[in-house]
Amino acid sequence: MIYFTLAVRLCEVSSVKKCHVKCHLLAGLSLLLVLTGCLPVARPVVVRPSATPVPATETPAPTTIWFPTTPTFTPLPTVELLPTPQMRPDVGELFFQDDFSDETAWMLWQTAAGSVAMGKDDLTIVIHEEKVYMYSVRLQPVFTDFYLELTANTNFCRGKDEYGLLLRVSPDIDYYRFSLSCDGNVRLDRLYQGRTVSPQATMLSGAAPQGAPGQVRLGVWALKDEMRFFINDLYQFTVKDGTLLTGGVGVYALSSSAELLSVYFSDLKVYQLVDEP
């Protein structure tokens, strides 16, 4: 207000006309300053940034769990192991044994293709030509129901070469043939009235040795029309066939190539069956 009063008085005492306008402008300016000074002073607002600004559209990262919880262990139920079925029931006393020391008990011969001969406590079949079949039979005694075991050893044997056991051999040389091949397969043939069929087709056996040298213990449980076959006490298969129910026992070998095939057999044992299963 002091500035406004002084300005008015200056204008009143001025005798110069051109100063009259300036005096009024000065008075107005003084009034504006007075009015402006009466308004409250605006203070600036300081916005401080947050310590960790997070954009509104950003998804926070998941928290890492270093030791996650695990489900409680539940043990599996115990499996009860049941006994395997008895595949050789009612095997009784030993009633026949052959140590292969009697040369008159077996069929022996020698040809250009090979030979069947007695060795020291064994019977040996040797073949050195392709596709030659040689066998030997013991016709006495005659077996009906029995459990029989025989050891076979291969000296030279490969691929499809075969060897094995003849069962229930008749005087007409009909029989069953339990066959092992040198590639690990087994089979049962029936030779009857000049015709050959296979009641048990060729099957791979983990018990049959592949190649040579090798040793196996052959076993046959026979009761009436049922026969069960074993290798090294391991069950292989069962055949029911009533064509031949009695007969002798024999051995055989069959070559598949001109390479040497040599097998020998020993320790024949036959046990009686005491009762039906």
Side-chain angles (χ1 to χ4, degrees):
M1 290 302 291
I2 296 174
Y3 296 109
F4 177 71
T5 305
L6 291 175
V8 173
R9 288 182 179 179
L10 287 174
C11 291
E12 290 177 351
V13 297
S14 177
S15 60
V16 183
K17 184 177 182 179
K18 62 179 180 181
C19 291
H20 181 73
V21 176
K22 291 181 180 181
C23 290
H24 284 282
L25 288 176
L26 181 60
L29 179 59
S30 299
L31 179 62
L32 178 61
L33 290 174
V34 172
L35 293 177
T36 303
C38 296
L39 294 176
V41 178
R43 298 180 180 273
V45 178
V46 179
V47 179
R48 299 182 180 275
S50 60
T52 53
V54 178
T57 57
E58 182 178 344
T59 302
T63 303
T64 301
I65 302 176
W66 296 105
F67 300 99
T69 57
T70 57
T72 303
F73 172 73
T74 303
L76 296 175
T78 303
V79 178
E80 182 181 0
L81 299 178
L82 301 178
T84 56
Q86 174 58 260
M87 301 305 296
R88 292 174 290 191
D90 306 310
V91 174
E93 298 294 327
L94 175 69
F95 77 92
F96 178 77
Q97 185 172 6
D98 191 346
D99 60 2
F100 294 91
S101 60
D102 184 1
E103 293 186 359
T104 64
W106 293 82
M107 299 169 54
L108 307 176
W109 64 73
Q110 185 170 356
T111 69
S115 64
V116 179
M118 282 290 183
K120 181 176 174 56
D121 300 329
D122 60 57
L123 185 149
T124 302
I125 301 178
V126 177
I127 303 174
H128 45 76
E129 290 188 8
E130 184 180 5
K131 299 187 183 304
V132 174
Y133 180 75
M134 304 191 78
Y135 66 93
S136 182
V137 173
R138 195 187 216 282
L139 292 175
Q140 295 296 329
V142 172
F143 307 110
T144 303
D145 299 334
F146 56 87
Y147 176 68
L148 179 151
E149 290 186 334
L150 175 71
T151 298
N153 291 267
T154 56
N155 288 330
F156 298 94
C157 185
R158 62 186 54 80
K160 299 297 182 181
D161 291 345
E162 295 182 12
Y163 61 96
L165 182 63
L166 309 181
L167 302 164
R168 291 179 171 172
V169 184
S170 73
D172 297 328
I173 315 300
D174 297 323
Y175 52 79
Y176 296 103
R177 182 172 62 199
F178 181 25
S179 169
L180 286 74
S181 61
C182 296
D183 58 1
N185 288 293
V186 297
R187 186 182 71 252
L188 182 71
D189 300 324
R190 185 187 69 222
L191 286 80
Y192 183 70
Q193 297 181 350
R195 183 185 177 193
T196 303
V197 297
S198 297
Q200 171 59 56
T202 300
M203 57 176 279
L204 184 65
S205 170
Q210 298 189 26
Q215 182 182 80
V216 287
R217 187 70 175 166
L218 306 179
V220 181
W221 182 95
L223 177 65
K224 298 181 180 178
D225 65 343
E226 182 175 350
M227 293 175 286
R228 302 174 185 176
F229 295 85
F230 302 83
I231 297 177
N232 295 332
D233 292 325
L234 299 176
Y235 169 76
Q236 302 297 301
F237 56 84
T238 296
V239 167
K240 286 191 174 183
D241 189 299
T243 306
L244 299 168
L245 296 177
T246 189
V249 64
V251 295
Y252 90 100
L254 171 63
S255 64
S256 62
S257 69
E259 299 290 337
L260 180 64
L261 169 60
S262 175
V263 185
Y264 65 92
F265 303 88
S266 62
D267 193 20
L268 172 64
K269 294 180 179 179
V270 184
Y271 300 83
Q272 62 183 347
L273 299 184
V274 294
D275 288 308
E276 296 185 7

